[in-house]
Amino acid sequence: MKLTTIIKTTLIATSIMASTFAQAADMRIGLVVKAQGIGFFEAAYKGAQEASAEIEDNIEIIYTGPVTPTAEGQIEIINSLISQKVDAIVVSANDPDALVPILKRAQQRGIKVVSFDSGVATAGRQIHLNPSSNELIGRMNIELAATSLEAAKSEKGDIAILSASPTATNQNIWIGEMEKALPEFPQLTLVATVYGDDLADKSYRETQGLVKTYPNLKVIVAPTTVGILAAAQAITDMKKTGEVFVTGLGLPSELAGHVESGAVNSFAIWNPIDLGYAATHIAYNLIQDTASETEVEMGRMGVAQLDAEGNAAMSSPFVYDISNVAEFAKIF
Ligand code: RAM
């Protein structure tokens, strides 16, 4: 072989090796969501990818979740992430306590654990990122119910809550906060709380049940993006638009049509892309050991303050109605 050929071959081989090494991830973060197929979590995944792209280390995000929102399904997935020796797990929990033993095992193996959106009890994670203040979210849902009652042209009326699964940490905390705020809204009578399990078909059937059981029902508050969408569809199909309003927490991209049709007057949410982005930055800081007891940075979302139990909050929810829903529907 001529010398030039040897040099060329060596250069090519070296550059192939270099590019192979460049592609291999420096670290891997498992993003475990409540269940597959939920738009809210797909938006959070976008944010996680955005964070990983801007962090200098090469981070691979493993987006995963059970087919239906159960703790058992999440435990299986976390087990497999432990075997894969990921560097961190970022999880939105279907149950605050059921995941603790497996997440303790993960931490014993040196895996950093962050819960976001729906929390894990303190023993199972290092930091929990709430989207916003829980009190604010609960109160906002009741304020939205009051606005929807006005839209229904009623001075007083029955309301019902359509939640996600009965063990969901976040929804249960928010329902508690809604109940605390309710006495300040004497025009609203809470008649029932039902669970659609963050499944579209179950949420749809629960909505039909509420409408049939409570003839004076004026508002359904669903603090879940899956529930609010299914409820709006059920109200439309039952031809109850204008009589029973649906509100709560939803995605502009999923609800724009229902706001235009009038099934939904207004609703709220924080930016789910930002939430996934911020949670990924927190996980990265834990891996790098750059989070303090009281503060952790979240990239463009700023610095989060941690309370004594490692809880942080991202930003405030935002209200959407006919004036702005189309504009935000393009984003999430
Ligand atoms: C659903 C999930 C999620 C919740 C949103 C508002 O997507 O239950 O946990 O934060 O709704």
PDB file of all heavy atoms in Angstrom, residues 117-153:
ATOM      1  N   ASP A 117     -44.591  17.267  37.529  1.00  0.00           N
ATOM      2  CA  ASP A 117     -46.030  17.206  37.230  1.00  0.00           C
ATOM      3  C   ASP A 117     -46.788  16.500  38.355  1.00  0.00           C
ATOM      4  O   ASP A 117     -47.493  17.130  39.107  1.00  0.00           O
ATOM      5  CB  ASP A 117     -46.245  16.519  35.863  1.00  0.00           C
ATOM      6  CG  ASP A 117     -47.701  16.366  35.508  1.00  0.00           C
ATOM      7  OD1 ASP A 117     -48.384  17.397  35.458  1.00  0.00           O
ATOM      8  OD2 ASP A 117     -48.154  15.213  35.289  1.00  0.00           O
ATOM      9  N   SER A 118     -46.637  15.191  38.480  1.00  0.00           N
ATOM     10  CA  SER A 118     -47.351  14.423  39.492  1.00  0.00           C
ATOM     11  C   SER A 118     -46.308  13.748  40.381  1.00  0.00           C
ATOM     12  O   SER A 118     -45.547  12.896  39.907  1.00  0.00           O
ATOM     13  CB  SER A 118     -48.242  13.394  38.787  1.00  0.00           C
ATOM     14  OG  SER A 118     -49.046  12.727  39.715  1.00  0.00           O
ATOM     15  N   GLY A 119     -46.283  14.122  41.647  1.00  0.00           N
ATOM     16  CA  GLY A 119     -45.132  13.820  42.499  1.00  0.00           C
ATOM     17  C   GLY A 119     -45.055  12.425  43.079  1.00  0.00           C
ATOM     18  O   GLY A 119     -46.026  11.675  43.144  1.00  0.00           O
ATOM     19  N   VAL A 120     -43.835  12.105  43.503  1.00  0.00           N
ATOM     20  CA  VAL A 120     -43.541  10.894  44.258  1.00  0.00           C
ATOM     21  C   VAL A 120     -43.250  11.365  45.684  1.00  0.00           C
ATOM     22  O   VAL A 120     -42.668  12.444  45.869  1.00  0.00           O
ATOM     23  CB  VAL A 120     -42.279  10.210  43.668  1.00  0.00           C
ATOM     24  CG1 VAL A 120     -41.833   9.057  44.542  1.00  0.00           C
ATOM     25  CG2 VAL A 120     -42.550   9.739  42.245  1.00  0.00           C
ATOM     26  N   ALA A 121     -43.617  10.565  46.684  1.00  0.00           N
ATOM     27  CA  ALA A 121     -43.324  10.910  48.082  1.00  0.00           C
ATOM     28  C   ALA A 121     -41.820  11.148  48.246  1.00  0.00           C
ATOM     29  O   ALA A 121     -41.012  10.556  47.510  1.00  0.00           O
ATOM     30  CB  ALA A 121     -43.799   9.792  49.003  1.00  0.00           C
ATOM     31  N   THR A 122     -41.467  11.996  49.210  1.00  0.00           N
ATOM     32  CA  THR A 122     -40.076  12.466  49.335  1.00  0.00           C
ATOM     33  C   THR A 122     -39.027  11.345  49.351  1.00  0.00           C
ATOM     34  O   THR A 122     -37.939  11.516  48.813  1.00  0.00           O
ATOM     35  CB  THR A 122     -39.884  13.323  50.605  1.00  0.00           C
ATOM     36  OG1 THR A 122     -40.508  12.641  51.674  1.00  0.00           O
ATOM     37  CG2 THR A 122     -40.494  14.688  50.450  1.00  0.00           C
ATOM     38  N   ALA A 123     -39.353  10.191  49.961  1.00  0.00           N
ATOM     39  CA  ALA A 123     -38.362   9.103  50.070  1.00  0.00           C
ATOM     40  C   ALA A 123     -37.973   8.546  48.693  1.00  0.00           C
ATOM     41  O   ALA A 123     -36.923   7.936  48.544  1.00  0.00           O
ATOM     42  CB  ALA A 123     -38.922   7.980  50.925  1.00  0.00           C
ATOM     43  N   GLY A 124     -38.828   8.766  47.692  1.00  0.00           N
ATOM     44  CA  GLY A 124     -38.578   8.154  46.384  1.00  0.00           C
ATOM     45  C   GLY A 124     -37.881   9.060  45.391  1.00  0.00           C
ATOM     46  O   GLY A 124     -37.585   8.631  44.266  1.00  0.00           O
ATOM     47  N   ARG A 125     -37.661  10.318  45.740  1.00  0.00           N
ATOM     48  CA  ARG A 125     -37.048  11.239  44.754  1.00  0.00           C
ATOM     49  C   ARG A 125     -36.245  12.305  45.472  1.00  0.00           C
ATOM     50  O   ARG A 125     -36.426  12.540  46.670  1.00  0.00           O
ATOM     51  CB  ARG A 125     -38.130  11.851  43.854  1.00  0.00           C
ATOM     52  CG  ARG A 125     -39.337  12.475  44.570  1.00  0.00           C
ATOM     53  CD  ARG A 125     -39.011  13.759  45.220  1.00  0.00           C
ATOM     54  NE  ARG A 125     -40.135  14.395  45.901  1.00  0.00           N
ATOM     55  CZ  ARG A 125     -39.996  15.404  46.721  1.00  0.00           C
ATOM     56  NH1 ARG A 125     -38.808  15.879  46.989  1.00  0.00           N
ATOM     57  NH2 ARG A 125     -41.036  15.971  47.300  1.00  0.00           N
ATOM     58  N   GLN A 126     -35.384  12.982  44.711  1.00  0.00           N
ATOM     59  CA  GLN A 126     -34.607  14.051  45.327  1.00  0.00           C
ATOM     60  C   GLN A 126     -35.319  15.395  45.227  1.00  0.00           C
ATOM     61  O   GLN A 126     -35.365  16.157  46.163  1.00  0.00           O
ATOM     62  CB  GLN A 126     -33.228  14.128  44.674  1.00  0.00           C
ATOM     63  CG  GLN A 126     -32.327  13.012  45.193  1.00  0.00           C
ATOM     64  CD  GLN A 126     -31.381  12.517  44.144  1.00  0.00           C
ATOM     65  OE1 GLN A 126     -31.773  11.825  43.201  1.00  0.00           O
ATOM     66  NE2 GLN A 126     -30.125  12.866  44.270  1.00  0.00           N
ATOM     67  N   ILE A 127     -35.856  15.669  44.023  1.00  0.00           N
ATOM     68  CA  ILE A 127     -36.550  16.943  43.805  1.00  0.00           C
ATOM     69  C   ILE A 127     -37.898  16.642  43.138  1.00  0.00           C
ATOM     70  O   ILE A 127     -38.009  15.718  42.326  1.00  0.00           O
ATOM     71  CB  ILE A 127     -35.706  17.884  42.911  1.00  0.00           C
ATOM     72  CG1 ILE A 127     -34.434  18.335  43.656  1.00  0.00           C
ATOM     73  CG2 ILE A 127     -36.512  19.108  42.450  1.00  0.00           C
ATOM     74  CD1 ILE A 127     -33.500  19.248  42.853  1.00  0.00           C
ATOM     75  N   HIS A 128     -38.925  17.420  43.503  1.00  0.00           N
ATOM     76  CA  HIS A 128     -40.191  17.361  42.753  1.00  0.00           C
ATOM     77  C   HIS A 128     -40.468  18.733  42.161  1.00  0.00           C
ATOM     78  O   HIS A 128     -40.457  19.730  42.878  1.00  0.00           O
ATOM     79  CB  HIS A 128     -41.362  16.935  43.640  1.00  0.00           C
ATOM     80  CG  HIS A 128     -42.674  17.106  42.934  1.00  0.00           C
ATOM     81  ND1 HIS A 128     -42.989  16.380  41.806  1.00  0.00           N
ATOM     82  CD2 HIS A 128     -43.708  17.964  43.128  1.00  0.00           C
ATOM     83  CE1 HIS A 128     -44.167  16.765  41.351  1.00  0.00           C
ATOM     84  NE2 HIS A 128     -44.634  17.735  42.139  1.00  0.00           N
ATOM     85  N   LEU A 129     -40.746  18.750  40.871  1.00  0.00           N
ATOM     86  CA  LEU A 129     -41.067  20.009  40.197  1.00  0.00           C
ATOM     87  C   LEU A 129     -42.571  20.100  39.963  1.00  0.00           C
ATOM     88  O   LEU A 129     -43.134  19.384  39.131  1.00  0.00           O
ATOM     89  CB  LEU A 129     -40.327  20.104  38.854  1.00  0.00           C
ATOM     90  CG  LEU A 129     -40.634  21.359  38.030  1.00  0.00           C
ATOM     91  CD1 LEU A 129     -40.192  22.644  38.746  1.00  0.00           C
ATOM     92  CD2 LEU A 129     -39.986  21.275  36.645  1.00  0.00           C
ATOM     93  N   ASN A 130     -43.217  20.986  40.706  1.00  0.00           N
ATOM     94  CA  ASN A 130     -44.628  21.287  40.456  1.00  0.00           C
ATOM     95  C   ASN A 130     -44.703  22.264  39.298  1.00  0.00           C
ATOM     96  O   ASN A 130     -43.830  23.132  39.160  1.00  0.00           O
ATOM     97  CB  ASN A 130     -45.231  21.985  41.682  1.00  0.00           C
ATOM     98  CG  ASN A 130     -45.618  21.003  42.770  1.00  0.00           C
ATOM     99  OD1 ASN A 130     -46.349  20.056  42.535  1.00  0.00           O
ATOM    100  ND2 ASN A 130     -45.104  21.238  43.971  1.00  0.00           N
ATOM    101  N   PRO A 131     -45.760  22.167  38.477  1.00  0.00           N
ATOM    102  CA  PRO A 131     -45.862  23.147  37.401  1.00  0.00           C
ATOM    103  C   PRO A 131     -46.036  24.553  37.950  1.00  0.00           C
ATOM    104  O   PRO A 131     -45.556  25.524  37.387  1.00  0.00           O
ATOM    105  CB  PRO A 131     -47.104  22.709  36.619  1.00  0.00           C
ATOM    106  CG  PRO A 131     -47.816  21.747  37.494  1.00  0.00           C
ATOM    107  CD  PRO A 131     -46.828  21.172  38.447  1.00  0.00           C
ATOM    108  N   SER A 132     -46.742  24.660  39.093  1.00  0.00           N
ATOM    109  CA  SER A 132     -47.075  25.963  39.649  1.00  0.00           C
ATOM    110  C   SER A 132     -47.419  25.745  41.114  1.00  0.00           C
ATOM    111  O   SER A 132     -47.289  24.629  41.607  1.00  0.00           O
ATOM    112  CB  SER A 132     -48.285  26.505  38.874  1.00  0.00           C
ATOM    113  OG  SER A 132     -48.584  27.796  39.299  1.00  0.00           O
ATOM    114  N   SER A 133     -47.890  26.792  41.804  1.00  0.00           N
ATOM    115  CA  SER A 133     -48.329  26.590  43.183  1.00  0.00           C
ATOM    116  C   SER A 133     -49.630  25.773  43.147  1.00  0.00           C
ATOM    117  O   SER A 133     -50.555  26.073  42.396  1.00  0.00           O
ATOM    118  CB  SER A 133     -48.544  27.946  43.848  1.00  0.00           C
ATOM    119  OG  SER A 133     -49.783  28.006  44.486  1.00  0.00           O
ATOM    120  N   ASN A 134     -49.689  24.730  43.963  1.00  0.00           N
ATOM    121  CA  ASN A 134     -50.883  23.875  43.983  1.00  0.00           C
ATOM    122  C   ASN A 134     -52.125  24.657  44.412  1.00  0.00           C
ATOM    123  O   ASN A 134     -53.214  24.438  43.895  1.00  0.00           O
ATOM    124  CB  ASN A 134     -50.662  22.685  44.919  1.00  0.00           C
ATOM    125  CG  ASN A 134     -49.685  21.698  44.314  1.00  0.00           C
ATOM    126  OD1 ASN A 134     -49.730  21.431  43.109  1.00  0.00           O
ATOM    127  ND2 ASN A 134     -48.800  21.159  45.131  1.00  0.00           N
ATOM    128  N   GLU A 135     -51.932  25.569  45.350  1.00  0.00           N
ATOM    129  CA  GLU A 135     -53.055  26.366  45.839  1.00  0.00           C
ATOM    130  C   GLU A 135     -53.626  27.213  44.697  1.00  0.00           C
ATOM    131  O   GLU A 135     -54.837  27.290  44.497  1.00  0.00           O
ATOM    132  CB  GLU A 135     -52.556  27.256  46.987  1.00  0.00           C
ATOM    133  CG  GLU A 135     -53.659  27.945  47.707  1.00  0.00           C
ATOM    134  CD  GLU A 135     -53.149  29.007  48.662  1.00  0.00           C
ATOM    135  OE1 GLU A 135     -51.960  28.965  49.055  1.00  0.00           O
ATOM    136  OE2 GLU A 135     -53.952  29.895  49.000  1.00  0.00           O
ATOM    137  N   LEU A 136     -52.708  27.798  43.937  1.00  0.00           N
ATOM    138  CA  LEU A 136     -53.120  28.638  42.808  1.00  0.00           C
ATOM    139  C   LEU A 136     -53.877  27.806  41.759  1.00  0.00           C
ATOM    140  O   LEU A 136     -54.901  28.232  41.221  1.00  0.00           O
ATOM    141  CB  LEU A 136     -51.869  29.272  42.185  1.00  0.00           C
ATOM    142  CG  LEU A 136     -52.069  30.204  41.014  1.00  0.00           C
ATOM    143  CD1 LEU A 136     -52.799  31.459  41.467  1.00  0.00           C
ATOM    144  CD2 LEU A 136     -50.715  30.600  40.408  1.00  0.00           C
ATOM    145  N   ILE A 137     -53.386  26.616  41.488  1.00  0.00           N
ATOM    146  CA  ILE A 137     -54.040  25.765  40.486  1.00  0.00           C
ATOM    147  C   ILE A 137     -55.459  25.392  40.951  1.00  0.00           C
ATOM    148  O   ILE A 137     -56.420  25.467  40.182  1.00  0.00           O
ATOM    149  CB  ILE A 137     -53.206  24.483  40.217  1.00  0.00           C
ATOM    150  CG1 ILE A 137     -51.836  24.845  39.632  1.00  0.00           C
ATOM    151  CG2 ILE A 137     -53.941  23.545  39.262  1.00  0.00           C
ATOM    152  CD1 ILE A 137     -50.850  23.686  39.532  1.00  0.00           C
ATOM    153  N   GLY A 138     -55.579  25.014  42.235  1.00  0.00           N
ATOM    154  CA  GLY A 138     -56.900  24.641  42.758  1.00  0.00           C
ATOM    155  C   GLY A 138     -57.868  25.813  42.671  1.00  0.00           C
ATOM    156  O   GLY A 138     -58.984  25.690  42.156  1.00  0.00           O
ATOM    157  N   ARG A 139     -57.422  26.962  43.146  1.00  0.00           N
ATOM    158  CA  ARG A 139     -58.276  28.160  43.134  1.00  0.00           C
ATOM    159  C   ARG A 139     -58.659  28.544  41.718  1.00  0.00           C
ATOM    160  O   ARG A 139     -59.807  28.889  41.434  1.00  0.00           O
ATOM    161  CB  ARG A 139     -57.529  29.310  43.827  1.00  0.00           C
ATOM    162  CG  ARG A 139     -58.145  30.670  43.715  1.00  0.00           C
ATOM    163  CD  ARG A 139     -57.467  31.648  44.623  1.00  0.00           C
ATOM    164  NE  ARG A 139     -57.723  31.288  46.007  1.00  0.00           N
ATOM    165  CZ  ARG A 139     -58.827  31.636  46.667  1.00  0.00           C
ATOM    166  NH1 ARG A 139     -59.749  32.364  46.075  1.00  0.00           N
ATOM    167  NH2 ARG A 139     -59.017  31.270  47.912  1.00  0.00           N
ATOM    168  N   MET A 140     -57.697  28.463  40.800  1.00  0.00           N
ATOM    169  CA  MET A 140     -57.967  28.846  39.415  1.00  0.00           C
ATOM    170  C   MET A 140     -59.047  27.958  38.796  1.00  0.00           C
ATOM    171  O   MET A 140     -59.915  28.430  38.074  1.00  0.00           O
ATOM    172  CB  MET A 140     -56.669  28.744  38.612  1.00  0.00           C
ATOM    173  CG  MET A 140     -56.785  29.369  37.259  1.00  0.00           C
ATOM    174  SD  MET A 140     -55.153  29.491  36.549  1.00  0.00           S
ATOM    175  CE  MET A 140     -54.878  31.233  36.612  1.00  0.00           C
ATOM    176  N   ASN A 141     -59.024  26.680  39.120  1.00  0.00           N
ATOM    177  CA  ASN A 141     -60.048  25.770  38.593  1.00  0.00           C
ATOM    178  C   ASN A 141     -61.438  26.158  39.092  1.00  0.00           C
ATOM    179  O   ASN A 141     -62.411  26.069  38.345  1.00  0.00           O
ATOM    180  CB  ASN A 141     -59.726  24.319  38.981  1.00  0.00           C
ATOM    181  CG  ASN A 141     -58.807  23.678  37.962  1.00  0.00           C
ATOM    182  OD1 ASN A 141     -59.259  23.227  36.909  1.00  0.00           O
ATOM    183  ND2 ASN A 141     -57.521  23.653  38.243  1.00  0.00           N
ATOM    184  N   ILE A 142     -61.525  26.579  40.354  1.00  0.00           N
ATOM    185  CA  ILE A 142     -62.833  26.990  40.887  1.00  0.00           C
ATOM    186  C   ILE A 142     -63.253  28.331  40.278  1.00  0.00           C
ATOM    187  O   ILE A 142     -64.419  28.548  39.955  1.00  0.00           O
ATOM    188  CB  ILE A 142     -62.786  27.044  42.442  1.00  0.00           C
ATOM    189  CG1 ILE A 142     -62.595  25.621  42.988  1.00  0.00           C
ATOM    190  CG2 ILE A 142     -64.045  27.672  43.019  1.00  0.00           C
ATOM    191  CD1 ILE A 142     -63.679  24.620  42.602  1.00  0.00           C
ATOM    192  N   GLU A 143     -62.292  29.235  40.084  1.00  0.00           N
ATOM    193  CA  GLU A 143     -62.625  30.507  39.430  1.00  0.00           C
ATOM    194  C   GLU A 143     -63.137  30.256  38.008  1.00  0.00           C
ATOM    195  O   GLU A 143     -64.075  30.897  37.552  1.00  0.00           O
ATOM    196  CB  GLU A 143     -61.384  31.412  39.377  1.00  0.00           C
ATOM    197  CG  GLU A 143     -61.126  32.100  40.703  1.00  0.00           C
ATOM    198  CD  GLU A 143     -59.747  32.766  40.797  1.00  0.00           C
ATOM    199  OE1 GLU A 143     -58.989  32.719  39.798  1.00  0.00           O
ATOM    200  OE2 GLU A 143     -59.441  33.311  41.857  1.00  0.00           O
ATOM    201  N   LEU A 144     -62.520  29.302  37.340  1.00  0.00           N
ATOM    202  CA  LEU A 144     -62.965  28.960  35.978  1.00  0.00           C
ATOM    203  C   LEU A 144     -64.389  28.401  36.011  1.00  0.00           C
ATOM    204  O   LEU A 144     -65.196  28.667  35.115  1.00  0.00           O
ATOM    205  CB  LEU A 144     -62.017  27.928  35.348  1.00  0.00           C
ATOM    206  CG  LEU A 144     -60.654  28.448  34.907  1.00  0.00           C
ATOM    207  CD1 LEU A 144     -59.691  27.292  34.645  1.00  0.00           C
ATOM    208  CD2 LEU A 144     -60.780  29.312  33.648  1.00  0.00           C
ATOM    209  N   ALA A 145     -64.694  27.611  37.063  1.00  0.00           N
ATOM    210  CA  ALA A 145     -66.053  27.063  37.193  1.00  0.00           C
ATOM    211  C   ALA A 145     -67.053  28.209  37.375  1.00  0.00           C
ATOM    212  O   ALA A 145     -68.144  28.194  36.788  1.00  0.00           O
ATOM    213  CB  ALA A 145     -66.121  26.095  38.364  1.00  0.00           C
ATOM    214  N   ALA A 146     -66.645  29.220  38.185  1.00  0.00           N
ATOM    215  CA  ALA A 146     -67.534  30.370  38.419  1.00  0.00           C
ATOM    216  C   ALA A 146     -67.770  31.135  37.114  1.00  0.00           C
ATOM    217  O   ALA A 146     -68.900  31.548  36.806  1.00  0.00           O
ATOM    218  CB  ALA A 146     -66.943  31.277  39.487  1.00  0.00           C
ATOM    219  N   THR A 147     -66.706  31.288  36.315  1.00  0.00           N
ATOM    220  CA  THR A 147     -66.845  31.983  35.021  1.00  0.00           C
ATOM    221  C   THR A 147     -67.754  31.177  34.088  1.00  0.00           C
ATOM    222  O   THR A 147     -68.588  31.737  33.364  1.00  0.00           O
ATOM    223  CB  THR A 147     -65.450  32.154  34.356  1.00  0.00           C
ATOM    224  OG1 THR A 147     -64.589  32.762  35.303  1.00  0.00           O
ATOM    225  CG2 THR A 147     -65.515  32.985  33.104  1.00  0.00           C
ATOM    226  N   SER A 148     -67.605  29.856  34.126  1.00  0.00           N
ATOM    227  CA  SER A 148     -68.431  29.004  33.272  1.00  0.00           C
ATOM    228  C   SER A 148     -69.901  29.054  33.696  1.00  0.00           C
ATOM    229  O   SER A 148     -70.796  28.984  32.857  1.00  0.00           O
ATOM    230  CB  SER A 148     -67.935  27.555  33.314  1.00  0.00           C
ATOM    231  OG  SER A 148     -66.620  27.487  32.818  1.00  0.00           O
ATOM    232  N   LEU A 149     -70.134  29.187  35.007  1.00  0.00           N
ATOM    233  CA  LEU A 149     -71.515  29.298  35.505  1.00  0.00           C
ATOM    234  C   LEU A 149     -72.157  30.566  34.942  1.00  0.00           C
ATOM    235  O   LEU A 149     -73.320  30.556  34.526  1.00  0.00           O
ATOM    236  CB  LEU A 149     -71.525  29.321  37.035  1.00  0.00           C
ATOM    237  CG  LEU A 149     -72.904  29.317  37.685  1.00  0.00           C
ATOM    238  CD1 LEU A 149     -73.576  27.949  37.531  1.00  0.00           C
ATOM    239  CD2 LEU A 149     -72.812  29.658  39.182  1.00  0.00           C
ATOM    240  N   GLU A 150     -71.381  31.641  34.900  1.00  0.00           N
ATOM    241  CA  GLU A 150     -71.891  32.898  34.313  1.00  0.00           C
ATOM    242  C   GLU A 150     -72.193  32.692  32.839  1.00  0.00           C
ATOM    243  O   GLU A 150     -73.210  33.171  32.326  1.00  0.00           O
ATOM    244  CB  GLU A 150     -70.853  34.016  34.453  1.00  0.00           C
ATOM    245  CG  GLU A 150     -70.821  34.616  35.836  1.00  0.00           C
ATOM    246  CD  GLU A 150     -69.624  35.545  36.020  1.00  0.00           C
ATOM    247  OE1 GLU A 150     -69.129  36.116  35.023  1.00  0.00           O
ATOM    248  OE2 GLU A 150     -69.181  35.691  37.182  1.00  0.00           O
ATOM    249  N   ALA A 151     -71.305  31.949  32.160  1.00  0.00           N
ATOM    250  CA  ALA A 151     -71.534  31.682  30.734  1.00  0.00           C
ATOM    251  C   ALA A 151     -72.827  30.893  30.542  1.00  0.00           C
ATOM    252  O   ALA A 151     -73.531  31.052  29.531  1.00  0.00           O
ATOM    253  CB  ALA A 151     -70.353  30.917  30.153  1.00  0.00           C
ATOM    254  N   ALA A 152     -73.151  30.037  31.547  1.00  0.00           N
ATOM    255  CA  ALA A 152     -74.397  29.253  31.478  1.00  0.00           C
ATOM    256  C   ALA A 152     -75.602  30.104  31.906  1.00  0.00           C
ATOM    257  O   ALA A 152     -76.723  29.599  31.999  1.00  0.00           O
ATOM    258  CB  ALA A 152     -74.280  28.022  32.367  1.00  0.00           C
ATOM    259  N   LYS A 153     -75.351  31.394  32.173  1.00  0.00           N
ATOM    260  CA  LYS A 153     -76.375  32.369  32.582  1.00  0.00           C
ATOM    261  C   LYS A 153     -77.134  31.911  33.825  1.00  0.00           C
ATOM    262  O   LYS A 153     -78.354  32.015  33.925  1.00  0.00           O
ATOM    263  CB  LYS A 153     -77.341  32.649  31.429  1.00  0.00           C
ATOM    264  CG  LYS A 153     -76.646  33.233  30.212  1.00  0.00           C
ATOM    265  CD  LYS A 153     -77.629  33.793  29.207  1.00  0.00           C
ATOM    266  CE  LYS A 153     -76.986  34.573  28.099  1.00  0.00           C
ATOM    267  NZ  LYS A 153     -75.715  34.085  27.578  1.00  0.00           N
TER     268      LYS A 153
END
